[in-house]
Amino acid sequence: MNQEILFATHNKGKLREARAFLSKVGYVVYGLDDLFLDEKVTESGSTYAENAYLKAQAFSTLPFPVFSDDSGFEIASLGGKPGLHSARFAEELGGYDKAMDFIVGKTRQDDRALFRCTICLIEKGKGPRYFEGEVKGRILPERHGTNGFGYDPIFESEDGVRFGEASEEEKTLHSHRGRALLKLATYLAI
Ligand code: ITT
């Protein structure tokens, strides 16, 4: 039986990945744009969990369970930045191509990086629940592939999966978001 759930995101890449994953366990996943909800929540928190909560809570009066995803790219040689500000970082540098060129230039000595994801789920009459995932890996010396979104073309997970070349399924199997989604799906199936 299909159950409906709202993913409080405007990010099409995140939505594609979550939809593909959760449809396998019987969920129809709506994104904000599917419901013509164009409100953009101010991410004023100082942790992924706080921002994820703000994004889910803003839509929790709608007649669906709602979840959100706050995620980020943490680069060792940049002291863990851009992290919480990964989307803004690319905007400020003039787009992802420029941001990736900048990162590649700064990571020749130390290429360690990781992606983190925190999902916040709010169901009617219940407190928020959090599901986390991370994936360690390295920054590639040049861009590879055009799959995925955001910083994917310069990331290779520690088990050797290049996110810009991987299929959606393969990326999800190894990614921060896939790991958090697995915990969410396990909880929802209980
Ligand atoms: P929503 O808030 O609407 O969900 P957003 O893109 O603004 O969309 P975040 O604030 O969580 O979401 O920013 C996360 C950023 O981190 C995202 O825009 C990418 O720049 C980067 N990122 C997160 N997961 C990624 C992934 O799987 N592949 C590549 N980049 C990713």
Side-chain angles (χ1 to χ4, degrees), residues 7-11 14 17 32 40 43 55 69-73 83-84 86-87 90 96 115-116 148-152 163 171 175-177:
F7 185 4
T9 185
H10 292 292
N11 183 313
K14 287 184 183 181
E17 291 173 15
L32 294 175
K40 182 97 177 86
E43 298 185 24
K55 289 192 269 190
D69 160 323
D70 201 60
S71 42
F73 196 26
L84 220 54
S86 295
Y96 281 96
F115 277 114
R116 273 188 216 284
F149 69 96
Y151 300 96
D152 282 339
F163 281 9
K171 177 184 167 188
S175 76
H176 51 315
R177 182 162 303 99

Side-chain angles (χ1 to χ4, degrees), residues 81-148:
K81 289 187 173 138
L84 220 54
H85 306 297
S86 295
R88 202 178 311 165
F89 182 77
E91 255 169 50
E92 285 172 2
L93 287 183
Y96 281 96
D97 286 348
K98 291 198 171 114
M100 288 190 281
D101 288 348
F102 174 84
I103 291 167
V104 166
K106 295 280 182 197
T107 50
R108 299 205 196 281
Q109 306 295 326
D110 179 354
D111 62 6
R112 290 170 302 144
L114 73 92
F115 277 114
R116 273 188 216 284
C117 171
T118 298
I119 286 175
C120 175
L121 171 72
I122 302 184
E123 300 167 286
K124 295 274 161 271
K126 295 188 190 172
R129 284 192 168 265
Y130 297 92
F131 306 92
E132 294 182 347
E134 67 169 53
V135 56
K136 294 189 177 126
R138 69 181 185 107
I139 304 290
L140 294 162
E142 57 196 44
R143 287 182 240 157
H144 288 272
T146 53
N147 291 349

Side-chain angles (χ1 to χ4, degrees), residues 20-110:
F21 191 88
L22 292 175
S23 68
K24 292 193 189 132
V25 288
Y27 275 83
V28 175
V29 180
Y30 302 115
L32 294 175
D33 298 337
D34 297 321
L35 303 182
F36 304 102
L37 296 166
D38 52 16
E39 181 182 342
K40 182 97 177 86
V41 176
T42 305
E43 298 185 24
S44 55
S46 54
T47 62
Y48 294 106
E50 283 172 14
N51 282 339
Y53 174 74
L54 291 172
K55 289 192 269 190
Q57 200 272 338
F59 301 97
S60 60
T61 54
L62 294 170
F64 310 104
V66 54
F67 72 98
S68 63
D69 160 323
D70 201 60
S71 42
F73 196 26
E74 300 183 7
I75 296 163
S77 70
L78 299 180
K81 289 187 173 138
L84 220 54
H85 306 297
S86 295
R88 202 178 311 165
F89 182 77
E91 255 169 50
E92 285 172 2
L93 287 183
Y96 281 96
D97 286 348
K98 291 198 171 114
M100 288 190 281
D101 288 348
F102 174 84
I103 291 167
V104 166
K106 295 280 182 197
T107 50
R108 299 205 196 281
Q109 306 295 326
D110 179 354

